[in-house]
Structure formats: structure tokens, C-alpha cells
Amino acid sequence: MRMSRYFLPVLKETPREAQIVSHRLMLQAGLIKQASAGIYSWLPMGYKILRRIEQIVHEEQAKAGHLAMLMPTIQSADLWRESGRYDAYGDEMLRIKDRGGRDMLFTPTAEELVTDIFRAHVSSYKDLPLTLYQIQWKFRDETRPRFGVMRGREFLMKDGYNFDLTAEDALHAYNRHLVTYLRTYERMGLQAIPMRADSGPIGGEDTHEFLVLAETGESEVFYDSEITDLTFGDRDIDFTDKAACAAVLEEFTSRYARTDETHDEAVFAQVPEARRRTARGIEVGQIFYFGTKYSDAMGATVQGPDGKSVPVHMGSHGIGVSRLLGAIIEASHDDKGIIWPEGVTPFHVGIVNLRQGDVDTDAACEDLYAKLTARGLDPLYDDRDERAGAKFGTMDLIGLPWRITVGPRGLKSGVVELTSRRTGISEEISPEDAIARIAAIYAGL
């Protein structure tokens, strides 16, 4: 993509409505535009990042054998009355009527709808286990939408639902999801800590939230500092191996880590004082096991091995896809702008032409652009007739991890400048070496 042909409405002034860094930078960098309170249009670069995050989620879900689908955003209230949640959910649910006077709602979550799909098509234990998921827009009518996409009313969410014959099988699904989430967040450059949480209106006794530590987090969190030393890394997990998945859950949840809703001061006091930490956290996902709560209420049963009909055991598992953009920015920025991790960057590298219109620099930039593209990379070439300072400022603001700067002086020596956005370190290398370096960085992602 060439900057001269791209729609990137960068703001020079600090938006007055932005209270936290991620909201300010998303507006300034032209990623989003507010449509109404808590509802945003996703502009080309913001949408591109959103799709990169979705791709990572899909890839990790597929590795675990989970099946993608898509359910509607508008649901019938009758399903929610079956489960008993229609009146209990509260004012966050947007309730509407269609032209026939039927009660409908804009989905805040989809346990009822997916249970209805399951009971219509699955009747035997031989079809289990089954995990279905979607990435779909949700709506919750927040009392005070704020902080941009961090606390919006409309949001993009991955929500998955497992159906299992027994509690043991369903808890394996729970553990399996925890593993997939650890892998997902690390690929995005985040450390998301699983913390014992409250189930809220979803229900169930077993639930963990995944929180990213940040000063602007909504939740106060209490944890053993040892947990921040854990990384999942590139280990190869067999998702059918119950013991292996349970061992990962034990490793990442055996140390104290809780939100303020479930914090127990007496238990926390047992952690060595030097390792006790309090901080703020941003919730980016949650997993639940709720047994037969919905299958009992809605008649989702299968015929077991003994021929008897039994309700299936269920759980649900969510990732805040749109919220993740804000969380990543909160965890990765400086006073110049965003610093995207390589896994989610909208473009792999920026090319800055210091003398637009110069025959040699134009040719060198075009050659870099063509060769990077031929390697399967996605460069953003700033070919505008702007001052160098303005080009550098834009690149720093939008946060591409790597920048190649091309100028007449360097070309005379056969070099370009390769700069890391995260460290600020630059080095002069040949254009061919710059291309090879960028290709190597992204080869394993």
C-alpha cells in the first residue's frame, strides 16, 4: 500500500473526549471514528488490525479442533425466556420489537441460541465432544460507555461453546480453552494472566478471566509475582491429552491471582510478602464451565451409552477481539505513539522516502516495495511529498514495528536505514539485507 492512496485520517490535535492512552492514540492514528456513544466505525487501518487479531484467534481455535460458525446478532426473546435470563439479564440488554410485535434482542452473548442449534441437530453421545464458536458483533448497553473500544456498547467478540457428555469431559474443554487462550495472547505480544473471577450473568462456578496488567485497567487485581515469569512459548500440546491440558491449567492457575471480586485477603496473606502484588488489569477474555445450567432449562439432551437421555455439560469461552486493540496499545506505546507487536501490526514495515521526486530514491523505494511484496510481506510506502519530520511522526504514531528509510546520502554508499520502533535503534545496511532481515523476522509468525 502507498500512503498517497491510503485513507489514514491522522489527527494533529489531542481528542478532548479521550481519557486513556489507547482511546487517544486510536483516534489520532485514524483507526476509529466515533459514530455515537460507545459505538465506533472501524477505518481501514483499524479494520486491518482487527482482521489480523481475528486470524490469530481462528488459527488457535482450529488447532484445538473447535469449529467456526456465525449466528445472527438479533435473537428471539423466547429463547432467553426458556433459560430464565430474559428478565434477569438487566438493562444492559437492548430489547426491541419487530414489526409483528414479537420481542427480540440484540445479542449480548449467545448461550441460548447455540443451545437451540445443538438440541435441534444432536441427539447421541457419539456426536460429542463438540465445540462451536463464532466471531460476531455484540451489544451491551453500558450505563457509561467510555475509554473508547475498552468499554464500548458495540464490540466484536469471539464466543465459543462446548458440549460434552460428562463433567470430566467438559472440564477438559475448559482446560483446552485455557491453553488456546494462552497461545493466542502471546502471539499478540501480550501477557494475559488467568485470574479466578466471578461468573456474573453467565453463571457457573468455574471461571477464569484473562487480564493484561495496565495502569488504566478497570479491575483491581491481586497476584503472586511468580505468575509474571510464566510463558507458554512454542510448546507442542496434544489437545486430546487430558493430562497435558490439565497440567498447563495447574501451572498457570496454582499461584494466587484474583480480581477484586473474588479476592480473599486471608489466602493472599499466605503468599510470601515479597511476591505479593496489587495492580490494575484489563479483561481481554473469560472462560466458564456451567454444567447443565442451559441444557436442563432448554432440553438439550443426548442419548448416553446406556440408552438413557442425559443433559449435556456445557461451557462458554470469550475473547474481546475489538477490546484487544485497546489492551495492546495500553501495554505497548510511548510518548510518540503506538508500538505494534509483529503479530498484529497492520503493515509489516514502513518505507520512508526522504526525497520524493528524486530519481534514485524513488527507484530504490519502488524496488524495496516490489521485493518486499514478492516475499509475501505487506509494506506501507510513504510516497507523499512531505517533510521528513512529518513522515517520521506519522510512522511513529501508527506504530509499525520496523521502518526502512531511504535517502540520497545513504544510497551513494549503498545503504538504507533499518529502524526498530520498539528500541529506536537504527542501523545502516544494504537494501537486500534489509529485505532479508524483515522477511526473517516475520517468517516464524
Side-chain angles (χ1 to χ4, degrees), residues 65-67 118 122 127-132 161-164 173 176:
H66 304 162
L67 304 175
F118 177 89
V122 180
D127 295 319
L128 303 179
L130 176 65
T131 295
L132 304 171
Y161 307 91
N162 66 281
F163 300 88
D164 291 278
R176 191 173 65 239

Side-chain angles (χ1 to χ4, degrees), residues 190-239:
L190 290 172
Q191 182 179 49
I193 302 171
M195 299 193 177
R196 176 63 63 181
D198 181 69
S199 63
I202 302 295
E205 296 180 359
D206 289 280
T207 179
H208 281 87
E209 286 179 347
F210 291 79
L211 289 102
V212 174
L213 301 179
E215 292 180 3
T216 51
E218 298 172 286
S219 304
E220 186 177 12
V221 297
F222 304 81
Y223 63 97
D224 182 337
S225 63
E226 277 193 347
I227 202 167
T228 58
D229 297 328
L230 300 177
T231 57
F232 189 83
D234 58 358
R235 30 180 138 170
D236 187 18
I237 291 287
D238 178 356
F239 285 102

Side-chain angles (χ1 to χ4, degrees), residues 123-125 165 302-310:
S123 58
S124 170
Y125 76 97
L165 182 63
V302 294
Q303 187 179 60
D306 59 1
K308 295 180 180 178
S309 179
V310 293

Side-chain angles (χ1 to χ4, degrees), residues 150 210-212 214 216-218 280-284 323 327 330:
M150 299 289 288
F210 291 79
L211 289 102
V212 174
T216 51
E218 298 172 286
R280 308 294 300 179
I282 300 169
E283 182 198 342
V284 291
R323 171 180 271 235
E330 291 293 333

Side-chain angles (χ1 to χ4, degrees), residues 178 182 191 193-197 207-209 221-232 235 246-259 262-264 267-272 275-277:
L178 181 133
L182 292 172
Q191 182 179 49
I193 302 171
M195 299 193 177
R196 176 63 63 181
T207 179
H208 281 87
E209 286 179 347
V221 297
F222 304 81
Y223 63 97
D224 182 337
S225 63
E226 277 193 347
I227 202 167
T228 58
D229 297 328
L230 300 177
T231 57
F232 189 83
R235 30 180 138 170
V248 174
L249 177 125
E250 174 66 18
E251 178 185 354
F252 281 84
T253 64
S254 58
R255 296 164 182 82
Y256 192 93
R258 300 194 184 189
T259 63
T262 59
H263 175 56
D264 187 322
V267 178
F268 191 48
Q270 297 173 21
V271 177
R275 302 203 318 249
R276 287 181 223 151
R277 299 285 188 275

